[in-house]
PDB file of all heavy atoms in Angstrom:
ATOM      1  N   THR B  53     -10.651  53.646 -18.871  1.00 93.00           N
ATOM      2  CA  THR B  53     -10.985  53.178 -20.211  1.00 93.00           C
ATOM      3  C   THR B  53     -11.533  51.761 -20.100  1.00 93.00           C
ATOM      4  O   THR B  53     -11.624  51.219 -19.004  1.00 93.00           O
ATOM      5  CB  THR B  53      -9.747  53.194 -21.122  1.00 93.00           C
ATOM      6  OG1 THR B  53     -10.160  52.931 -22.462  1.00 93.00           O
ATOM      7  CG2 THR B  53      -8.748  52.155 -20.694  1.00 93.00           C
ATOM      8  N   THR B  56     -11.486  46.159 -22.979  1.00 95.00           N
ATOM      9  CA  THR B  56     -11.406  45.731 -24.383  1.00 95.00           C
ATOM     10  C   THR B  56     -10.446  46.609 -25.179  1.00 95.00           C
ATOM     11  O   THR B  56      -9.746  46.125 -26.061  1.00 95.00           O
ATOM     12  CB  THR B  56     -12.793  45.786 -25.040  1.00 95.00           C
ATOM     13  OG1 THR B  56     -13.459  46.959 -24.606  1.00 95.00           O
ATOM     14  CG2 THR B  56     -13.601  44.581 -24.647  1.00 95.00           C
ATOM     15  N   ARG B  60      -7.095  45.167 -27.311  1.00 94.00           N
ATOM     16  CA  ARG B  60      -6.909  45.361 -28.752  1.00 94.00           C
ATOM     17  C   ARG B  60      -5.453  45.623 -29.087  1.00 94.00           C
ATOM     18  O   ARG B  60      -5.004  45.382 -30.194  1.00 94.00           O
ATOM     19  CB  ARG B  60      -7.768  46.533 -29.227  1.00 94.00           C
ATOM     20  CG  ARG B  60      -9.235  46.168 -29.375  1.00 94.00           C
ATOM     21  CD  ARG B  60     -10.044  47.308 -29.964  1.00 94.00           C
ATOM     22  NE  ARG B  60     -11.489  47.018 -29.835  1.00 94.00           N
ATOM     23  CZ  ARG B  60     -12.321  47.751 -29.135  1.00 94.00           C
ATOM     24  NH1 ARG B  60     -11.886  48.828 -28.510  1.00 94.00           N
ATOM     25  NH2 ARG B  60     -13.592  47.427 -29.053  1.00 94.00           N
ATOM     26  N   ARG B  61      -4.701  46.144 -28.111  1.00 95.00           N
ATOM     27  CA  ARG B  61      -3.317  46.533 -28.396  1.00 95.00           C
ATOM     28  C   ARG B  61      -2.279  45.649 -27.735  1.00 95.00           C
ATOM     29  O   ARG B  61      -1.204  45.448 -28.285  1.00 95.00           O
ATOM     30  CB  ARG B  61      -3.097  47.960 -27.905  1.00 95.00           C
ATOM     31  CG  ARG B  61      -3.277  48.993 -28.998  1.00 95.00           C
ATOM     32  CD  ARG B  61      -2.951  50.350 -28.430  1.00 95.00           C
ATOM     33  NE  ARG B  61      -4.103  51.217 -28.592  1.00 95.00           N
ATOM     34  CZ  ARG B  61      -4.060  52.367 -29.240  1.00 95.00           C
ATOM     35  NH1 ARG B  61      -2.930  52.782 -29.746  1.00 95.00           N
ATOM     36  NH2 ARG B  61      -5.139  53.096 -29.380  1.00 95.00           N
TER      37      ARG B  61
ATOM     38  P    DA D   7      -8.590  53.200 -29.979  1.00 68.46           P
ATOM     39  OP1  DA D   7      -7.406  54.007 -30.321  1.00 68.46           O
ATOM     40  OP2  DA D   7      -8.437  51.774 -29.673  1.00 68.46           O
ATOM     41  O5'  DA D   7      -9.357  53.882 -28.761  1.00 68.46           O
ATOM     42  C5'  DA D   7      -9.674  55.246 -28.857  1.00 68.46           C
ATOM     43  C4'  DA D   7     -11.009  55.532 -28.188  1.00 68.46           C
ATOM     44  O4'  DA D   7     -12.087  54.964 -28.957  1.00 68.46           O
ATOM     45  C3'  DA D   7     -11.144  54.984 -26.778  1.00 68.46           C
ATOM     46  O3'  DA D   7     -11.732  55.995 -25.986  1.00 68.46           O
ATOM     47  C2'  DA D   7     -12.055  53.775 -26.944  1.00 68.46           C
ATOM     48  C1'  DA D   7     -12.912  54.172 -28.130  1.00 68.46           C
ATOM     49  N9   DA D   7     -13.380  53.061 -28.963  1.00 68.46           N
ATOM     50  C8   DA D   7     -12.623  52.093 -29.563  1.00 68.46           C
ATOM     51  N7   DA D   7     -13.321  51.235 -30.279  1.00 68.46           N
ATOM     52  C5   DA D   7     -14.621  51.672 -30.139  1.00 68.46           C
ATOM     53  C6   DA D   7     -15.842  51.180 -30.660  1.00 68.46           C
ATOM     54  N6   DA D   7     -15.937  50.111 -31.450  1.00 68.46           N
ATOM     55  N1   DA D   7     -16.975  51.846 -30.315  1.00 68.46           N
ATOM     56  C2   DA D   7     -16.866  52.920 -29.527  1.00 68.46           C
ATOM     57  N3   DA D   7     -15.784  53.479 -28.981  1.00 68.46           N
ATOM     58  C4   DA D   7     -14.681  52.789 -29.336  1.00 68.46           C
ATOM     59  P    DG D   8     -11.802  55.812 -24.409  1.00 68.46           P
ATOM     60  OP1  DG D   8     -11.817  57.173 -23.828  1.00 68.46           O
ATOM     61  OP2  DG D   8     -10.820  54.819 -23.966  1.00 68.46           O
ATOM     62  O5'  DG D   8     -13.260  55.194 -24.233  1.00 68.46           O
ATOM     63  C5'  DG D   8     -14.384  56.022 -24.477  1.00 68.46           C
ATOM     64  C4'  DG D   8     -15.638  55.197 -24.374  1.00 68.46           C
ATOM     65  O4'  DG D   8     -15.614  54.170 -25.385  1.00 68.46           O
ATOM     66  C3'  DG D   8     -15.806  54.445 -23.046  1.00 68.46           C
ATOM     67  O3'  DG D   8     -16.976  54.940 -22.418  1.00 68.46           O
ATOM     68  C2'  DG D   8     -15.913  52.983 -23.444  1.00 68.46           C
ATOM     69  C1'  DG D   8     -16.318  53.070 -24.897  1.00 68.46           C
ATOM     70  N9   DG D   8     -15.949  51.920 -25.715  1.00 68.46           N
ATOM     71  C8   DG D   8     -14.687  51.398 -25.873  1.00 68.46           C
ATOM     72  N7   DG D   8     -14.656  50.368 -26.683  1.00 68.46           N
ATOM     73  C5   DG D   8     -15.978  50.192 -27.068  1.00 68.46           C
ATOM     74  C6   DG D   8     -16.563  49.227 -27.931  1.00 68.46           C
ATOM     75  O6   DG D   8     -16.009  48.311 -28.540  1.00 68.46           O
ATOM     76  N1   DG D   8     -17.942  49.412 -28.053  1.00 68.46           N
ATOM     77  C2   DG D   8     -18.647  50.402 -27.423  1.00 68.46           C
ATOM     78  N2   DG D   8     -19.956  50.424 -27.650  1.00 68.46           N
ATOM     79  N3   DG D   8     -18.122  51.311 -26.611  1.00 68.46           N
ATOM     80  C4   DG D   8     -16.783  51.142 -26.489  1.00 68.46           C
ATOM     81  P    DC D   9     -17.280  54.519 -20.909  1.00 68.46           P
ATOM     82  OP1  DC D   9     -18.032  55.633 -20.296  1.00 68.46           O
ATOM     83  OP2  DC D   9     -16.024  54.017 -20.295  1.00 68.46           O
ATOM     84  O5'  DC D   9     -18.286  53.282 -21.072  1.00 68.46           O
ATOM     85  C5'  DC D   9     -19.505  53.477 -21.777  1.00 68.46           C
ATOM     86  C4'  DC D   9     -20.164  52.146 -22.078  1.00 68.46           C
ATOM     87  O4'  DC D   9     -19.385  51.419 -23.047  1.00 68.46           O
ATOM     88  C3'  DC D   9     -20.319  51.201 -20.891  1.00 68.46           C
ATOM     89  O3'  DC D   9     -21.673  51.247 -20.496  1.00 68.46           O
ATOM     90  C2'  DC D   9     -19.911  49.830 -21.437  1.00 68.46           C
ATOM     91  C1'  DC D   9     -19.754  50.062 -22.938  1.00 68.46           C
ATOM     92  N1   DC D   9     -18.714  49.239 -23.619  1.00 68.46           N
ATOM     93  C2   DC D   9     -19.100  48.242 -24.524  1.00 68.46           C
ATOM     94  O2   DC D   9     -20.306  48.052 -24.728  1.00 68.46           O
ATOM     95  N3   DC D   9     -18.154  47.502 -25.142  1.00 68.46           N
ATOM     96  C4   DC D   9     -16.869  47.737 -24.891  1.00 68.46           C
ATOM     97  N4   DC D   9     -15.962  46.987 -25.535  1.00 68.46           N
ATOM     98  C5   DC D   9     -16.443  48.746 -23.985  1.00 68.46           C
ATOM     99  C6   DC D   9     -17.391  49.480 -23.367  1.00 68.46           C
TER     100       DC D   9
END
Side-chain angles (χ1 to χ4, degrees):
Chain B
T53 189
T56 41
R60 283 185 191 118
R61 264 184 238 237

